[in-house]
Coordinates of all heavy atoms in Angstrom, one line a residue:
Q1 N -4.6 37.2 40.8 CA -4.9 38.5 41.3 C -6.1 39.1 40.8 O -7.0 39.7 41.6 CB -3.8 39.4 41.1 CG -3.8 40.7 41.7 CD -2.6 41.7 41.4 OE1 -1.8 41.3 40.6 NE2 -2.7 43.0 42.0
M2 N -6.3 39.0 39.4 CA -7.5 39.6 38.8 C -8.8 38.9 39.3 O -9.9 39.6 39.5 CB -7.4 39.4 37.3 CG -6.4 40.4 36.7 SD -6.1 40.3 34.9 CE -7.7 40.5 34.3
Q3 N -8.7 37.5 39.6 CA -9.9 36.8 40.0 C -10.3 37.4 41.5 O -11.4 37.6 41.8 CB -9.6 35.3 40.2 CG -9.5 34.6 38.8 CD -9.2 33.1 38.9 OE1 -8.5 32.7 39.9 NE2 -9.5 32.4 37.9
G4 N -9.2 37.6 42.3 CA -9.4 38.2 43.6 C -10.2 39.7 43.4 O -11.1 39.9 44.2
D5 N -9.6 40.4 42.6 CA -10.1 41.8 42.3 C -11.6 41.7 41.8 O -12.4 42.5 42.3 CB -9.3 42.5 41.3 CG -7.9 42.9 41.8 OD1 -7.6 42.8 43.1 OD2 -7.0 43.2 41.0
I6 N -11.8 40.7 41.0 CA -13.1 40.6 40.4 C -14.2 40.2 41.6 O -15.3 40.7 41.6 CB -13.2 39.7 39.3 CG1 -12.5 40.2 38.1 CG2 -14.7 39.1 39.0 CD1 -12.3 39.3 36.9
K7 N -13.7 39.2 42.4 CA -14.5 38.8 43.5 C -14.9 40.1 44.4 O -16.0 40.2 44.9 CB -13.9 37.8 44.4 CG -14.0 36.4 43.7 CD -13.2 35.3 44.6 CE -13.2 34.0 43.9 NZ -12.5 33.0 44.8
E8 N -13.9 40.9 44.7 CA -14.2 42.1 45.5 C -15.1 43.1 44.8 O -15.9 43.6 45.5 CB -12.8 42.8 45.8 CG -12.8 43.8 46.7 CD -11.5 44.5 47.1 OE1 -10.3 43.8 46.8 OE2 -11.5 45.7 47.5
I9 N -14.9 43.3 43.6 CA -15.8 44.2 42.8 C -17.2 43.6 42.8 O -18.1 44.4 43.1 CB -15.4 44.3 41.3 CG1 -14.0 45.1 41.3 CG2 -16.4 45.0 40.5 CD1 -13.3 45.3 40.0
K10 N -17.4 42.3 42.7 CA -18.8 41.7 42.8 C -19.3 41.9 44.2 O -20.5 42.2 44.2 CB -18.7 40.1 42.5 CG -18.4 39.9 41.1 CD -18.4 38.4 40.9 CE -18.3 38.0 39.4 NZ -18.4 36.5 39.2
R11 N -18.6 41.8 45.1 CA -19.0 42.0 46.5 C -19.5 43.4 46.7 O -20.6 43.7 47.3 CB -18.0 41.6 47.7 CG -18.4 41.8 49.0 CD -17.2 41.5 49.9 NE -16.1 42.5 49.6 CZ -15.9 43.6 50.1 NH1 -16.9 44.4 50.8 NH2 -14.9 44.4 49.7
D12 N -18.7 44.3 46.2 CA -19.0 45.8 46.4 C -20.3 46.1 45.6 O -21.1 46.8 46.2 CB -17.9 46.6 45.8 CG -16.7 46.6 46.7 OD1 -16.7 46.1 47.8 OD2 -15.6 47.1 46.2
L13 N -20.5 45.5 44.4 CA -21.8 45.7 43.6 C -22.9 45.2 44.3 O -24.0 45.7 44.3 CB -21.6 45.0 42.3 CG -20.7 45.8 41.3 CD1 -20.5 45.0 40.0 CD2 -21.3 47.1 40.9
R14 N -22.8 44.0 45.0 CA -23.9 43.5 45.8 C -24.2 44.4 46.9 O -25.4 44.6 47.1 CB -23.6 42.0 46.3 CG -23.7 40.9 45.5 CD -23.8 39.5 46.1 NE -22.4 39.2 46.7 CZ -21.5 38.8 46.1 NH1 -21.5 38.5 44.7 NH2 -20.3 38.6 46.6
L15 N -23.2 44.9 47.7 CA -23.5 45.9 48.7 C -24.2 47.0 48.1 O -25.3 47.7 48.7 CB -22.2 46.3 49.3 CG -21.5 45.2 50.2 CD1 -20.2 45.6 50.8 CD2 -22.5 44.8 51.3
L16 N -23.7 47.6 47.0 CA -24.4 48.8 46.4 C -25.8 48.5 46.0 O -26.8 49.3 46.3 CB -23.6 49.2 45.1 CG -22.3 50.0 45.4 CD1 -21.6 50.2 44.2 CD2 -22.5 51.3 46.1
R17 N -26.0 47.4 45.4 CA -27.4 46.9 45.0 C -28.4 46.9 46.4 O -29.5 47.3 46.3 CB -27.3 45.7 44.2 CG -28.6 45.3 43.6 CD -28.4 44.2 42.6 NE -27.8 43.0 43.2 CZ -26.7 42.5 42.6 NH1 -26.2 43.0 41.4 NH2 -25.9 41.5 43.1
D18 N -27.8 46.4 47.3 CA -28.6 46.2 48.7 C -28.8 47.6 49.1 O -30.0 47.8 49.7 CB -27.8 45.4 49.6 CG -27.6 43.9 49.3 OD1 -28.4 43.4 48.4 OD2 -26.9 43.1 49.9
D19 N -27.8 48.5 49.1 CA -28.1 49.9 49.6 C -29.1 50.5 48.8 O -30.0 51.3 49.3 CB -26.7 50.6 49.6 CG -25.8 50.2 50.7 OD1 -26.2 49.5 51.5 OD2 -24.6 50.6 50.6
I20 N -29.1 50.4 47.5 CA -30.0 51.1 46.6 C -31.4 50.5 47.0 O -32.4 51.2 46.9 CB -29.6 50.9 45.1 CG1 -28.4 51.7 44.8 CG2 -30.6 51.2 44.3 CD1 -27.8 51.4 43.4
H21 N -31.6 49.2 47.1 CA -32.8 48.8 47.5 C -33.3 49.3 48.8 O -34.5 49.6 48.9 CB -32.8 47.2 47.4 CG -34.0 46.5 47.8 ND1 -35.0 46.4 46.8 CD2 -34.5 45.9 49.0 CE1 -36.0 45.6 47.4 NE2 -35.7 45.4 48.6
R22 N -32.5 49.4 49.8 CA -32.9 49.8 51.1 C -33.4 51.3 50.9 O -34.3 51.7 51.4 CB -31.7 49.7 52.0 CG -32.1 50.2 53.4 CD -30.9 50.1 54.4 NE -29.6 50.6 53.7 CZ -29.4 51.9 53.6 NH1 -30.2 52.8 54.1 NH2 -28.2 52.3 53.2
I23 N -32.5 52.2 50.1 CA -32.9 53.4 49.9 C -34.2 53.6 49.3 O -35.1 54.5 49.6 CB -31.8 54.2 49.1 CG1 -30.6 54.3 50.1 CG2 -32.2 55.5 48.8 CD1 -29.2 54.8 49.4
R24 N -34.5 52.8 48.2 CA -35.7 52.9 47.5 C -36.9 52.7 48.4 O -38.0 53.3 48.3 CB -35.7 51.9 46.4 CG -35.1 52.4 45.2 CD -35.2 51.3 43.9 NE -34.4 51.8 42.8 CZ -33.9 51.2 41.9 NH1 -34.0 49.9 41.9 NH2 -33.2 51.7 40.8
L25 N -36.8 51.6 49.3 CA -37.8 51.2 50.2 C -38.0 52.4 51.3 O -39.2 52.8 51.4 CB -37.5 49.9 51.0 CG -37.5 48.7 50.3 CD1 -37.0 47.5 51.0 CD2 -38.8 48.3 49.8
E26 N -37.0 53.0 51.8 CA -37.1 54.2 52.5 C -37.8 55.3 51.7 O -38.6 55.9 52.4 CB -35.7 54.6 53.1 CG -35.1 53.7 54.1 CD -33.7 54.1 54.5 OE1 -33.1 55.1 53.9 OE2 -33.0 53.2 55.2
H27 N -37.4 55.6 50.6 CA -38.1 56.6 49.9 C -39.5 56.4 49.7 O -40.3 57.3 49.9 CB -37.4 56.7 48.5 CG -37.9 57.8 47.6 ND1 -38.8 57.4 46.6 CD2 -37.8 59.0 47.5 CE1 -39.2 58.5 46.0 NE2 -38.7 59.6 46.5
E28 N -40.0 55.1 49.4 CA -41.4 54.8 49.2 C -42.1 55.0 50.5 O -43.2 55.7 50.5 CB -41.5 53.3 48.7 CG -41.2 53.2 47.4 CD -41.2 51.6 46.9 OE1 -41.6 50.8 47.8 OE2 -40.8 51.3 45.8
E29 N -41.5 54.6 51.6 CA -42.1 54.8 52.9 C -42.2 56.3 53.2 O -43.3 56.7 53.7 CB -41.2 54.2 54.0 CG -41.8 54.3 55.4 CD -40.8 53.8 56.5 OE1 -40.0 52.9 56.1 OE2 -41.0 54.3 57.6
L30 N -41.2 57.1 53.0 CA -41.3 58.6 53.2 C -42.3 59.3 52.3 O -43.1 60.1 52.7 CB -39.9 59.2 52.9 CG -38.9 58.9 53.9 CD1 -37.6 59.5 53.4 CD2 -39.2 59.5 55.3
V31 N -42.5 58.8 50.9 CA -43.4 59.3 50.1 C -44.8 59.0 50.7 O -45.8 59.9 50.7 CB -43.4 58.8 48.6 CG1 -44.6 59.0 47.8 CG2 -42.1 59.3 48.0
E32 N -45.1 57.9 51.1 CA -46.3 57.4 51.7 C -46.6 58.3 53.1 O -47.8 58.7 53.2 CB -46.4 56.0 52.1 CG -46.4 55.0 51.0 CD -46.3 53.6 51.4 OE1 -46.3 53.3 52.6 OE2 -46.2 52.7 50.4
R33 N -45.6 58.5 53.9 CA -45.9 59.3 55.0 C -46.2 60.7 54.7 O -47.2 61.4 55.3 CB -44.6 59.2 55.9 CG -44.4 58.0 56.6 CD -43.1 57.7 57.2 NE -43.0 58.5 58.3 CZ -42.1 58.7 59.3 NH1 -41.1 58.0 58.9 NH2 -42.1 59.4 60.3
V34 N -45.6 61.2 53.7 CA -45.9 62.6 53.2 C -47.2 62.7 52.7 O -48.0 63.6 53.0 CB -44.7 63.1 52.2 CG1 -45.2 64.4 51.5 CG2 -43.4 63.3 52.9

């Protein structure tokens, strides 16, 4: 059960990391536009 929970946490972390990367790119683009 813990292995399954760890896999889910790792998946969530990857999604968060991807979201943060996307937000940073959007932020940089907005800064450039401003």
Side-chain angles (χ1 to χ4, degrees):
Q1 181 183 5
M2 288 173 63
Q3 285 176 338
D5 293 345
I6 289 170
K7 284 181 182 177
E8 186 176 339
I9 290 169
K10 284 181 176 180
R11 181 186 55 84
D12 290 346
L13 285 174
R14 276 193 298 277
L15 291 173
L16 282 171
R17 193 170 39 239
D18 293 346
D19 286 348
I20 289 171
H21 180 71
R22 181 183 47 79
I23 290 169
R24 282 183 179 155
L25 290 175
E26 289 175 1
H27 177 261
E28 288 174 7
E29 181 184 336
L30 288 172
V31 167
E32 288 174 5
R33 290 172 69 185
V34 167

